[in-house]
Amino acid sequence: MAHSGDTIPDTYIMELVAACLRGDVAVLREALGHTHPRARILALRGLARANDLTAADWSMLCADTDAGVRRETLSEMGSRGTCHISSAQLIALLGDADPLVAEAAAYVAGEGDVTECEAALIDMVTSHDDSRCRETAVVALGMLGKDSSRSTIVAALVDKPTVRRRAIVALANFEGEDVEEALDRAADDRDWQVRSAVELLRRND
């Protein structure tokens, strides 16, 4: 169903919400091709809830022209702890112009254990302008747990407080003298939440 203009009728939105609740796949599939991104997002949510999204659907939605749709698709995927798209497409999304899309892609890389994304995640941690992306990317590297990324995680301990806190969490998956030395330094961090994260990590060792 197409609608003119930049808005869609509230009645149609209510119809889609009802379709999500009752699992009306036919209505939701029609909305998946709607011209308005809000309709596509609702269709995505409903079809994901009904477990009725194919690999082709996931890939199409991740390539949507609207950043909100791309972000919502990746968030849905990450919340399921799986990656339903190719590693090449996910790597491309890590470089998305919208930082929230890139952040959501990093979330999927970690939750889905997509090891092919390591190099792109390292690049995100070391050079992305948005600290939210650096935070999520450093967590993803910790979840991947590859030794080749440990120096990047340690180096993140000089970033903004929010990134430093995430780096402490990421270091839980690593051992070694360099890690212990980094934690020693972080134990005296000027941010109390960083210090607290170190204390909690060592308490759980």
Side-chain angles (χ1 to χ4, degrees):
M1 182 184 297
H3 298 101
S4 59
D6 296 328
T7 61
I8 50 180
D10 288 342
T11 52
Y12 183 59
I13 292 297
M14 292 174 64
E15 180 185 341
L16 289 182
V17 171
C20 289
L21 293 174
R22 67 176 182 267
D24 192 332
V25 171
V27 170
L28 295 171
R29 282 219 158 269
E30 182 181 3
L32 205 58
H34 199 281
T35 56
H36 199 286
R38 188 178 178 191
R40 298 198 297 277
I41 287 173
L42 286 172
L44 156 68
R45 290 174 180 169
L47 289 170
R49 179 176 176 173
N51 292 315
D52 198 67
L53 285 169
T54 67
D57 292 331
W58 286 110
S59 181
M60 175 188 72
L61 288 162
C62 281
D64 198 277
T65 56
D66 184 80
V69 176
R70 297 196 302 276
R71 182 171 64 249
E72 185 74 20
T73 304
L74 289 163
S75 295
E76 285 282 352
M77 204 183 300
S79 69
R80 287 162 172 72
T82 55
C83 180
H84 296 293
I85 58 177
S86 69
S87 57
Q89 186 174 13
L90 186 58
I91 289 169
L93 286 161
L94 286 166
D96 197 279
D98 187 299
L100 293 180
V101 174
E103 181 196 14
Y107 174 48
V108 172
E111 293 291 337
D113 195 31
V114 188
T115 56
E116 296 89 344
C117 289
E118 184 194 14
L121 289 168
I122 288 174
D123 184 61
M124 183 178 282
V125 172
T126 57
S127 63
H128 205 286
D129 291 338
D130 196 304
S131 63
R132 293 168 297 183
C133 290
R134 300 197 302 276
E135 284 179 51
T136 306
V138 80
V139 171
L141 288 175
M143 295 179 75
L144 296 181
K146 293 175 69 67
D147 196 63
S148 46
S149 63
R150 65 192 291 153
S151 60
T152 300
I153 298 172
V154 168
L157 289 171
V158 299
D159 205 317
K160 288 186 175 181
T162 52
V163 181
R164 299 202 301 273
R165 294 171 208 152
R166 297 294 191 177
I168 297 299
V169 175
L171 285 174
N173 289 328
F174 297 87
E175 294 180 352
E177 187 176 338
D178 58 334
V179 173
E180 291 305 317
E181 290 175 353
L183 291 176
D184 286 340
R185 293 191 297 272
D188 294 323
D189 195 278
R190 61 185 178 276
D191 183 89
W192 72 268
Q193 289 179 295
V194 174
R195 299 194 304 271
S196 179
V198 175
E199 182 181 352
L200 182 61
L201 176 61
R202 284 184 157 164
R203 187 187 307 160
N204 292 332
D205 281 348

